[in-house]
Amino acid sequence: MVFFQSLLTILHPSILLVMIIGSIGGIVIGAMPGLTSVMGVTLLLPFTYGMDATTGMAMLLSISFGAIYGGSITAILIGTPGTPASAATMIEGRQFAARGEGGRALGISTVSSWVGGTISAIMLILIAPQLAKLALKFGAPEYCTLCLFGLTIIASISGKSLLKGAIAGFLGLLISTIGIDPMTGFSRFAFGNINLYSGLQTVPLMIGLFAISQVFVNLKDGVEQNVITQKVTSILPSWSDLKQSLPVAIRSGFIGTFIGIIPAAGADIAAFVSYDVAKKLSKHPEAFGTGCIEGLAAPEAGNNGDTSGALVPMLTLGVPGDATAAVLVGALTLHGLQPGPTLFTKDIVVVNNIFASALIANLLFLIFGLLGIRVFIKIIQIKPYILTPIIFVLCIIGSFALRNNIFDVGAMLVISVIGYFFVYLEIPIAPIVLALILGPMFESNMRRSLLLSKGSFSIFFTRPISLFFILLAVISLLWPILRKKLEKETGTSL
Amino acid sequence: MKKVLALILALCMVFALCACGSSAPAETPAPSEAPAEAPAETPAEAPAEGVDLSNASVTIICPYGAGGGTDTTMRVLAQAAEKVIGGTYTVENHTGGSGTTGLYDCLAAEHDGYTLATASVDLITLSLLGIADDLTLDTFAPICILNGEPAAIIVPADSPYQTIEDFVQAGIDNPGTVTLANAGAGNIWHLAAIGVELKTGASFSHIPYSDGTSASLPAVLAGDVDAVICSPAEAASFIEAGDLKVLAVAAADRLAAYPDVPTFTESGVDLIIMALRGLCVPADAPADVIAAMQDAFAEVIASEECQTLLADANQTYMPFDAEGTAELLNGMRSNYEAIIEAYLASAG
């Protein structure tokens, strides 16, 4: 009953309009190479300052879901992934386009994305409240070891190289130590600057890292204008295509959800794993890579499956499931909401509204994807020299409007230069942001645990949930080594 | 193609305006213009009253984030003032620097008496903590206090400590073993806990939850910590459900919402510590404008509208006019001096 009330809230014209704008905007952002879904959410986050929490979150979810789907448009039609999450879609997608079946591929990807996203949203609605109940039992030691697990995941899977992932992660941790010491209340590393007294704001840092640094990269490398020659008329998929893609899409939706729940593993990983599983389980694996329907449906359902899955740990524990969810943590705290189990007791209405908007946001990109594809194809051929200044202005406004503090704009620009060089050194950026969120949680909960245990580290090992997370952390650290061994033994790539 | 482009550009601009309009001060030049004329014209017409506030456009700078408790109080005041006094009242959130940014921004604005800031215990503690020596009752003249939330010791319902006397005695008998959660080191509730120690000779193990009280409540419910010090309003849902129990409140009188809960003073602990929220104005603003504001807001906080709005926001009504506010804050100063001295000493 309560849930239907939330559904009605979300379907209110004022919220629905914002979601429609968000969904369309998200698809466009996702479709533009160089603009990722995280960037889209970060860029548009400032527009939610003036909204209430429900409207703001509804809009951000629509953007993020739309963008993850939108990436497939370019992946299929141009052969360049619009977002990293659609890199796996490209493998099969461009084969379809080469055959002149771009429209057919878009139809399959649109429906599969929706199936994956909707499964994920339903799983979110089913799992999150249960996990929140369990999370109420989490004390400081559990949070500490959970963060430790999240941090090890960042290092081991978010980049191509363990070392580079660790470099980014540690930079994030380092930045997060600036400001008030959580245990003594005294400022540290502020160097007498009153603006640093309570630490750096995460939102301007995210804008700098995800948006401006990408603008710099685009300026230097130049972004070629997208030229789409393929003629796409209708993309409504045929019944036989649907029948063939549906089972794979459903399975991949579950895989994506599961990967989304793991802290720090994002949509790109969900897409590749889904593709891999589909190939391994397929009756005709040799068809993969030549433009087969299952190979297209799997990564698309997988990456959209990640979207709501990543919200599960974000809402229940305050630990973001991927970089987009990290930005959403920032969005919730802006509205005075603290993600975590108490959110489910104190602000259950907002939580239900988020659930409802997750379902609707998936429906929106399905509708606009199927109906508006020709418009999107036009929009994504926009010239980069028009787009880049718009993004730049939005970034400056966004950083300033957060607290009306010009210092934040400076901080945003400084970190964006660091982000720019990281891109060239192939150091992943997402770990910085995840560590920014996890770092303070880890530190304060560790020191709080030690206060409770009067300084004894045994508190982390005698509590079962805490011990469980420590074991997971050890496994995830050893994973790169384990994987090499397994690959050698089985002769396949994992 | 051109049309699509134009549409996108137009949308971007509208969006940009939305983002600015909601909070950026650059977009609201009105406050400084309108008042600049008002004082110049009115004295000739109505020398007795001096200042006419009914058309004033006033900015209230809130040093804490939108959606938080302080922000809520500010918006209640703004809404009630528009009804009772007239004119427009805009709340801007200038956060950061442990609450100093907003107060400094108020000082940086024109001292015409039409840019107000949040008055709180910060005006005592910030200087004592050595964070900002100049943000005191010397630089800001109080206008009013609307809301006050007292500190309270709250325990699980099945706690071995069922009275405040039990709890304090445990802190005296076994110093440093009873754990007491607070909303972050140096936070007003942490200072309140140190106040209890100073007044009783007890000693607790303070566990700071820097994310705020809501983060500490699960730990209290789970029994990880023995008690929490916060305002009863923050734990209201758990208190009503019977999971948590309030032992005592650090207010002058018992709270209307918890008539059975004794005050600290009744229980022999001479301590009044409350989070207070109201308004202040740079002290060197024109005296007639300050006086007019003080009179007008005395009316606002007494008004029906204001009380209803505050009750809807689940905040405790604790009104003080300008004189009362100054008296209250100055009276608290010596208490805080001792507490903060102890806090600074303990933190090294």
Side-chain angles (χ1 to χ4, degrees), chain B residues 3-166:
Chain B
K3 269 186 200 158
V4 175
L5 264 184
L7 192 70
I8 295 174
L9 276 171
L11 267 179
C12 285
M13 284 173 189
V14 171
F15 267 154
L17 278 177
C18 287
C20 283
S22 63
S23 43
E27 296 291 321
T28 50
S32 50
E33 283 171 18
E37 297 161 12
E41 288 169 14
T42 39
E45 292 162 27
E49 276 294 308
V51 182
D52 175 24
L53 291 177
S54 61
N55 281 314
S57 86
V58 177
T59 307
I60 298 173
I61 298 184
C62 172
Y64 295 98
T70 306
D71 178 63
T72 308
T73 317
M74 292 306 113
R75 284 175 203 275
V76 166
L77 277 168
Q79 220 177 320
E82 286 183 359
K83 279 204 189 120
V84 177
I85 314 175
T88 54
Y89 288 77
T90 318
V91 179
E92 289 179 9
N93 302 87
H94 294 209
T95 59
S98 291
T100 58
T101 306
L103 294 174
Y104 276 127
D105 283 356
C106 178
L107 288 179
E110 211 171 323
H111 292 201
D112 54 13
Y114 292 86
T115 303
L116 315 180
T118 301
S120 70
V121 179
D122 284 357
L123 290 177
I124 301 170
T125 53
L126 285 174
S127 56
L128 290 177
L129 285 166
I131 295 173
D133 296 334
D134 48 346
L135 299 179
T136 62
L137 286 171
D138 296 332
T139 33
F140 287 97
I143 294 177
C144 69
I145 294 284
L146 173 64
N147 159 253
E149 306 287 352
I153 303 266
I154 298 174
V155 295
D158 56 358
S159 164
Y161 316 113
Q162 288 294 322
T163 64
I164 185 70
E165 286 84 359
D166 289 351

Side-chain angles (χ1 to χ4, degrees), chain A residues 21 28 44 46-47 49-51 59 135-142 180-186 194-195 197-198 201 225 333-336 338 341-342 345-346 375 378-383 386-387 390 393-394 397-398 400-405 440-441 444-445 448 451-452 454 463, chain B residues 1 4-5 8-9 11-12 14-20 22-26 65-68 92-98 100-101 104-105 129 131-132 176-179 184-186 190 205-211 214-215 217-219 221-222 224-225 234 237-238 343-344 347-348:
Chain A
I21 295 173
V28 172
L44 296 176
F47 297 122
Y49 295 165
M51 303 175 182
M59 172 160 160
L136 269 179
K137 296 200 170 55
F138 278 32
E142 283 81 11
I180 306 260
D181 179 315
M183 289 299 118
T184 66
F186 288 97
I194 195 90
N195 287 304
Y197 195 88
S198 48
Q201 291 291 303
Q225 191 193 343
T333 36
L334 278 182
H335 288 103
Q338 191 68 46
T342 42
T345 48
K346 246 177 61 187
V375 183
K378 280 223 178 82
I379 296 178
I380 60 181
Q381 302 189 52
I382 187 175
K383 294 185 174 62
I386 294 170
L387 197 62
I390 294 178
V393 170
L394 287 181
I397 293 173
F400 178 75
L402 177 66
R403 319 191 283 176
N404 296 321
N405 194 334
M441 276 179 82
S444 58
N445 282 301
R448 200 172 293 137
L451 265 181
L452 288 170
K454 314 266 182 284
R463 298 172 58 129
Chain B
M1 195 59 208
V4 175
L5 264 184
I8 295 174
L9 276 171
L11 267 179
C12 285
V14 171
F15 267 154
L17 278 177
C18 287
C20 283
S22 63
S23 43
E92 289 179 9
N93 302 87
H94 294 209
T95 59
S98 291
T100 58
T101 306
Y104 276 127
D105 283 356
L129 285 166
I131 295 173
T177 52
V178 179
T179 48
H190 181 210
S205 168
H206 302 280
I207 315 289
Y209 284 83
S210 37
D211 284 337
S214 64
L217 293 178
L221 290 167
D224 283 351
V225 291
E234 289 172 287
S237 60
F238 294 107
Y343 163 58
L344 293 176

